[in-house]
Amino acid sequence: MKAAVYDPKRSSPFRLVEVIEVPRPQLVPGHVLLRVMACGVCRTDLHITEGDLPPLLPSVIPGHQIVGEVIEGASARIPMGTRVGVSWMGGTDGDCWYCQAKMENLCNHPVFTGYSLNGGYAEYVLAREDFVYPLPGNLDDAQVAPLLCAGIIGFRSLRVAGVLPGEKVGLFGFGSSAALAIRILQFWRCQVYVVTRGQAHREMATSLGASWVGDEDAIPPVALDRAITFAPSGKVVVNALSSLRKGGVVAVNAIHLDQMPSFDYDKLLWGERQIRSVANMTRDDARDFLELARQLQFRPEVTIFSLDNAHDALLAVKNEDKSGSIVIVP
């Protein structure tokens, strides 16, 4: 099969992944083999292929926002031909304290799609049967792909921040995840304040009905109840913290963050403000979000790249010069 492969020894800024022929995955017990129909491109894929995250395999096929059709390994829950989604959490041990305490996102021995397991920048992918999700039928393949990480992790970020209906919420960075989260916030009747770097992203936030939009150094005109940061920047976290009311919460939606600058505790954190990290997601997060997406009839804006142009798709995420979510279609 054709796949875009990241090899840390061969990768360069000019060719983050190489499109080559590799063996098609072979079915193993407890798994399903999927024909890939679409795969969203996530900033985590960029962190992997640029070396911000240490390699876990000699080489890997990235991609963890996978829409696929079951062609082998069907079960009573997932019949042959079912359209399913695969996300970042590719499996957990099920036995550790965190799994037993219903915090499987913090599992001691997880596996990650497109990082410690081969992912969806390919024509076929193998996935654990109990970690795939039947998908709503009212979205096409490219539109549903970004929901499978950007959507789910954005939804979890709102939960971690403790967002309540009607609150003032800041979104710092406005890529794929934030563009989906704003829909949920509007459904909850929240006022949404967006701070983001790219002009295309500011225009998108305005078009999606944000209450206020500013550039990366702007401070929202009101004190925020909650803030979610999507940019992998410690400076952005401090900016978000400086925008909070007393008792407010910043949820940091980033698997990798550059160095956190020093900040004034007395002015910015005192007053029972909180900084919380968002780590992975649970299957309940995925199921709850996908049901909400079905109810709200999510139709995210997407820009499609072919599998042959996977490198360019990654650069589109890096440069933030395309509207909506980036999706690879084999």
Side-chain angles (χ1 to χ4, degrees):
M1 70 173 183
K2 183 189 294 185
V5 178
Y6 166 64
D7 182 337
K9 294 180 179 178
R10 296 169 58 90
S11 179
S12 77
F14 307 102
R15 188 56 49 192
L16 295 172
V17 292
E18 185 177 8
V19 179
I20 57 175
E21 291 289 327
V22 300
R24 188 170 119 168
Q26 297 298 305
L27 186 67
V28 297
H31 290 66
V32 288
L33 181 64
L34 308 178
R35 179 177 65 85
V36 177
M37 302 156 80
C39 186
V41 181
C42 178
R43 183 166 289 276
T44 300
D45 300 340
L46 191 64
H47 290 319
I48 292 167
T49 57
E50 289 194 319
D52 295 325
L53 297 177
L56 301 181
L57 299 172
S59 65
V60 70
I61 301 169
H64 58 269
Q65 301 183 101
I66 306 167
V67 179
E69 177 188 8
V70 177
I71 61 170
E72 291 184 36
S75 65
R77 186 180 79 91
I78 307 289
M80 193 72 71
T82 302
R83 188 177 75 152
V84 298
V86 182
S87 192
W88 170 246
M89 292 292 286
T92 58
D93 61 28
D95 297 323
C96 71
W97 184 89
Y98 296 101
C99 287
Q100 294 296 312
K102 300 185 184 300
M103 293 187 286
E104 66 182 10
N105 61 304
L106 303 178
C107 174
N108 282 332
H109 304 102
V111 290
F112 301 114
T113 311
Y115 187 33
S116 58
L117 301 170
N118 282 326
Y121 291 12
E123 294 176 312
Y124 299 91
V125 67
L126 195 65
R128 254 178 64 168
E129 189 274 346
D130 55 343
F131 275 81
V132 303
Y133 311 97
L135 295 173
N138 60 336
L139 291 175
D140 69 26
D141 300 330
Q143 286 181 313
V144 78
L147 306 184
L148 294 165
C149 179
I152 296 168
I153 199 67
F155 177 64
R156 180 170 182 84
S157 298
L158 302 182
R159 284 181 157 175
V160 169
V163 175
L164 298 174
E167 289 191 320
K168 300 178 179 67
V169 181
L171 303 179
F172 288 73
F174 202 78
S176 180
S177 190
L180 294 167
I182 194 174
R183 291 284 310 281
I184 301 170
L185 291 168
Q186 290 166 338
F187 180 63
W188 291 345
R189 304 183 309 281
C190 293
Q191 299 176 41
V192 183
Y193 298 81
V194 173
V195 177
T196 192
R197 179 180 65 178
Q199 178 64 28
H201 286 184
R202 289 195 294 273
E203 292 173 356
M204 181 168 60
T206 300
S207 72
L208 291 176
S211 303
W212 174 91
V213 179
D215 65 25
E216 60 185 312
D217 295 317
I219 299 294
V222 299
L224 303 174
D225 300 300
R226 321 283 168 177
I228 296 91
T229 67
F230 297 90
S233 165
K235 176 187 174 184
V236 171
V237 175
V238 174
N239 288 347
L241 189 61
S242 70
S243 302
L244 285 185
R245 63 161 171 81
K246 288 183 284 188
V249 178
V250 174
V252 182
N253 181 357
I255 194 172
H256 164 77
L257 201 67
D258 65 12
Q259 186 172 2
M260 180 80 76
S262 61
F263 60 87
D264 189 322
Y265 168 87
D266 296 346
K267 291 181 179 179
L268 297 187
L269 195 59
W270 187 83
E272 298 192 351
R273 297 174 179 89
Q274 299 179 53
I275 302 174
R276 300 192 64 190
S277 66
V278 181
N280 309 317
M281 37 74 77
T282 69
R283 282 172 284 183
D284 282 343
D285 291 328
R287 288 186 283 261
D288 292 347
F289 171 73
L290 289 170
E291 174 57 23
L292 185 59
R294 185 194 65 77
Q295 293 176 18
L296 298 182
Q297 298 185 16
F298 272 38
R299 300 189 186 280
E301 182 180 354
V302 299
T303 299
I304 295 174
F305 287 77
S306 70
L307 181 56
D308 287 330
N309 292 320
H311 169 79
D312 295 331
L314 286 161
L315 289 187
V317 172
K318 180 182 178 70
N319 297 329
E320 299 183 356
D321 57 0
K322 303 291 183 184
S323 293
S325 303
I326 307 301
V327 178
I328 291 172
V329 175

